[in-house]
Every structure is written in C-alpha cells, then in structure tokens.
Amino acid sequence: IEEGDGVRAYLVDNEYSSNTVFEVTNAHGRTRLLKNSKQFVRIDGSGFSFRSAPSFMSILNEEASLRDARYEVDATIDHLLYHPNTAPFMAIRLIQRFVTSNPTPDYVKTVATAFKTGKYDNFGSGKYGDIAATISAVLLEPDALSVVLDVDPFHGSIREPLLKTIAFMRSMELELITEKKVLELAYPFKNKIGQMAHSFDTVFSFFLPENIPTGKPGAAMLYSPEAMLVDMPKVTGLLNGLYSTIKNGISNCYYGFGDGRSVPCEEGDFNNAVAKLSFDTSAEDAAAVVSELSTLLTSGRISPKNKELIIDAYTSKLPDKAAALRIAQQLIVSTPEFHSFDTVKSSGETRESASTPPPSGVPYKAVIFLMLQGGADSFNMLVPHTCSPKDLYSE
C-alpha cells in the first residue's frame, strides 16, 4: 500500500500494473475504488476505437455473477446520481413544476447548489441530493416569492389541465351525492381535457420540458411544457366540463365530466349527477363574493377589469344567490388568470380580424379529408365537379 496526495494505492507484487486499485475521496466525500485500467472497443481494419464502460462480471455462470451484477447496477445508479449534470437537471425540472417554465440561470444555480450540498439556509441534512434542501430552495428563493415577477411576461407558466380541474373541484368543495364511494369520470378522460393521471402517452410523461409553443412565446424562445396539451378540442372540452359541473354537477349534461352521451339539462338540475359543488359563501356583498372566489381559484390574481365584469354579472342574477354564484364561477374559470400562474395585462384594443388572402390565380390541386362520425357515408362524398372523359359529379 502506498499513499500520497490523498490517494491510496493497493499494489500487487509491490508494483504498479493494470491490477492496481486506487482509493480516493471525491468532491462529495465518498470513498471510491478505481482500477488502474481503461477499456476500449476497437474496430478491426479501421483504426477507430472508443472508451467503453468496464465490466468486471464473468461471462461464465458463476456464483459471483449475481453479486457482481448487483455491484454494477449500484455503480450505474451512483454514476447517474452523482453526474455533474444531475443537479441542474433536477433543479430545472422541479422549478418548472412548482414555479416557472423559464427559470433564470441564478435560480437554477441556487437550487442545484442546494441539491449538491444538501443545505439551503437552515433546511437540509448537508448530504448530497437532500430533497428538503432542494425543495426549500425552489419555493423560498425570491424568484418564487416575489409578487413583482407576476407581471413579468417571461415568468410563470400555464396550468396543467388535470391539476386545475382537481384544484377547482377541491376549492369549490365537490361532494358525492350518490351511494358510490368513488367518483367516476368520463372515459377516457384525457380525450376530454388532454390529461389524466397515469395516462401519459410516452415514457417522457405528458409533455417535454423543452417544448417551445407557437405564437409570440415561441418567437421569444420561451419554454412552455404544458402547452403541448393545449389544442382547441381540449380547451373546449375542459370549459364544457367545468361549466357543466357548475350548473349540473358531475353528469353527462351538456358535455360534462360524467360518463355517457351528452344530454340537455336545466341549469340547477342535479338529478343526473353523481357529485356536485357544495361551496357556499357567507359574504353578502357581490364584491366580497367575487374576491373570495378569486382567492380560491386564481390566488387573487384576477385583474380589476375582469373582477368588475364578474361583479356586474353576479349582481344581475340577484336575488337568486345560487344562480349568481354559478355565473360568477363560470366567468372566473373563463379568465386567463385561472388558466395560468401570471397576472394579465390587457391592451384594451380590439383584436384585428384575420383577412382572407387574395387568390393567387395559380391552378392547384386540393385533397379534402372528412372525418364523419359513425364512419364514411358513401352517399355524401365529395367528388370532382368536372372531369373528362367521365363526369363523376353528374353521375
């Protein structure tokens, strides 16, 4: 055994060779044993070679193979956990889920440091990968707590469809009104709102962290992972379900979240429902009611202009307090503040209508593809209007 510069060498026959093993303590305070050898893969006749991860397992079916397999699996897990990219990788993912889709470099560095050192302020054990320290850094940094950043268009994120649906049901105190003990929703629920627990399409979960949406956010190269779940059918399905839940509970009324084909219902009729919202407020003043709903559903972020519109709508339904509450709930879940974690700055200008581009006059061919519910109806197919030598349209 030889020692020097913090390294201990275990020698065979008192000389250095490929059988020498070095014992070192790395930056994380962990003792590592490293064999004095490199393993290469070489391609005959090409002169090309590359490093390969060494394997110490025997190719024979020996008793030690199971032991060595466990050692190599542990070594692989350790390699991934202590890789230099792991801390910033974890930092970005956690920040995106809890705070903002586009964290600043300093924010990522602080959270990654907490992960590596295991300490943030008074939180953490001081051990590498301490989650208490990491989450504390995510939630207690100024980037997470500053209300000033709520008006920053580069800060915040949009809400996941499933999370805002569940948050709405919890805040508005959804309760079962049947003998069933489990709430059954429309199946498959993700086809209605774009997301359902344990029902992601790929091994990469519901969306990609590096997703850049179209439009102005994309032009600014901003990330928006949750935007992958948003398209017009899903937006319509989510709002239909929320409106139906408010007016008729969890049912199949007007494309609600309940199971079965959609049917028309009278507002306030819960005969088809398996659950309904039980939230009630003791506030008498319209402004106080809307403020309470704003706090519960948007963390109080509704703009003064939107709040004024909702107050007017609430007042117009009085003295029917139940109807007034329902219209206020519907309007709040329609606001951009409900669907994102930002405040909204309105320009006050009317959006320009898209103009039809002038025809180019250049001949073209078009393929028209129709999706008809129930299958293809051969008596209602589009055919060419004029053809030669045979006119299919006339036929």
Side-chain angles (χ1 to χ4, degrees):
I1 300 177
E2 291 188 1
E3 293 190 59
D5 296 329
V7 178
R8 174 178 290 184
Y10 295 89
L11 310 179
V12 177
D13 297 330
N14 202 32
E15 62 181 22
Y16 286 94
S17 68
S18 60
N19 293 321
T20 301
V21 174
F22 298 103
E23 179 182 319
V24 297
T25 301
N26 62 16
H28 304 297
R30 304 177 72 244
T31 300
R32 312 300 294 157
L33 297 175
L34 306 174
K35 189 177 181 182
N36 188 31
S37 64
K38 292 181 180 180
Q39 184 163 305
F40 288 88
V41 174
R42 293 182 172 84
I43 300 178
D44 288 342
S46 67
F48 179 76
S49 66
F50 57 90
R51 286 285 302 276
S52 175
S55 175
F56 300 104
M57 290 180 58
S58 171
I59 61 174
L60 302 176
N61 187 16
E62 298 178 350
E63 206 173 295
S65 295
L66 178 59
R67 178 204 64 189
D68 293 341
R70 289 171 177 167
Y71 287 162
E72 292 213 3
V73 170
D74 287 342
T76 301
I77 294 174
D78 282 351
H79 175 75
L80 296 175
L81 176 63
Y82 290 96
H83 193 280
N85 288 344
T86 298
F89 176 90
M90 292 293 297
I92 293 173
R93 297 301 183 269
L94 290 172
I95 293 171
Q96 283 187 325
R97 299 280 59 78
F98 284 95
V99 181
T100 177
S101 296
N102 297 274
T104 62
D106 284 344
Y107 192 10
V108 174
K109 181 180 179 181
T110 299
V111 176
T113 300
F115 183 89
K116 289 189 292 185
T117 62
K119 290 292 290 184
Y120 178 80
D121 200 7
N122 294 323
F123 299 95
S125 63
K127 296 181 180 179
Y128 180 93
D130 189 289
I131 295 300
T134 307
I135 293 297
S136 298
V138 171
L139 300 179
L140 299 179
E141 270 295 285
D143 293 64
L145 299 178
S146 175
V147 295
V148 176
L149 291 175
D150 285 345
V151 297
D152 183 351
F154 292 87
H155 192 73
S157 64
I158 64 175
R159 302 174 72 186
E160 297 178 44
L162 182 61
L163 295 187
K164 61 188 172 188
T165 301
I166 294 176
F168 171 78
M169 292 178 177
R170 294 183 64 183
S171 298
M172 295 296 99
E173 302 174 18
L174 185 77
E175 64 176 15
L176 291 170
I177 55 176
T178 65
E179 295 180 355
K180 294 183 178 180
K181 295 183 179 181
V182 177
L183 178 63
E184 295 181 0
L185 300 174
Y187 179 83
F189 194 63
K190 74 172 183 178
N191 289 356
K192 185 176 289 288
I193 70 170
Q195 189 180 29
M196 185 53 183
H198 314 299
S199 187
F200 37 81
D201 293 325
T202 74
V203 295
F204 301 106
S205 192
F206 298 103
F207 37 72
L208 299 178
E210 299 86 4
N211 176 62
I212 298 178
T214 57
K216 290 186 177 180
M221 296 302 292
L222 294 177
Y223 298 123
S224 182
E226 300 85 356
M228 290 185 68
L229 304 178
V230 179
D231 56 33
M232 190 50 64
K234 303 301 188 300
V235 171
T236 303
L238 174 65
L239 289 177
N240 281 341
L242 293 175
Y243 294 161
S244 177
T245 301
I246 293 169
K247 295 188 288 187
N248 301 104
I250 302 295
S251 67
N252 57 344
C253 295
Y254 290 109
Y255 301 97
F257 288 148
D259 208 5
R261 183 178 292 274
S262 175
V263 296
C265 302
E266 292 290 330
E267 181 174 339
D269 178 9
F270 300 100
N271 289 327
N272 292 334
V274 296
K276 69 175 184 177
L277 306 179
S278 62
F279 172 81
D280 195 11
T281 176
S282 58
E284 296 292 336
D285 179 65
V289 173
V290 174
S291 293
E292 184 176 359
L293 290 174
S294 173
T295 299
L296 292 171
L297 297 176
T298 69
S299 300
R301 286 180 283 103
I302 290 184
S303 66
K305 183 178 180 180
N306 285 344
K307 185 175 289 188
E308 183 179 345
L309 293 173
I310 298 171
I311 291 173
D312 291 342
Y314 181 91
T315 305
S316 68
K317 293 292 183 177
L318 294 176
D320 188 343
K321 289 188 63 176
L325 180 62
R326 288 195 294 268
I327 192 64
Q329 290 170 325
Q330 291 176 76
L331 290 174
I332 288 180
V333 300
S334 304
T335 62
E337 292 93 341
F338 175 77
H339 296 276
S340 69
F341 289 110
D342 292 321
T343 57
V344 176
K345 183 180 180 181
S346 175
S347 66
E349 299 177 0
T350 303
R351 180 179 298 177
E352 295 182 4
S353 300
S355 59
T356 303
S360 65
V362 178
Y364 68 94
K365 293 182 179 180
V367 176
I368 300 175
F369 183 77
L370 296 181
M371 293 291 291
L372 302 176
Q373 185 174 7
D377 187 345
S378 59
F379 289 96
N380 290 281
M381 300 294 289
L382 290 179
V383 296
H385 188 277
T386 54
C387 293
S388 62
K390 189 174 184 179
D391 192 339
L392 296 178
Y393 183 79
S394 297
E395 183 179 290

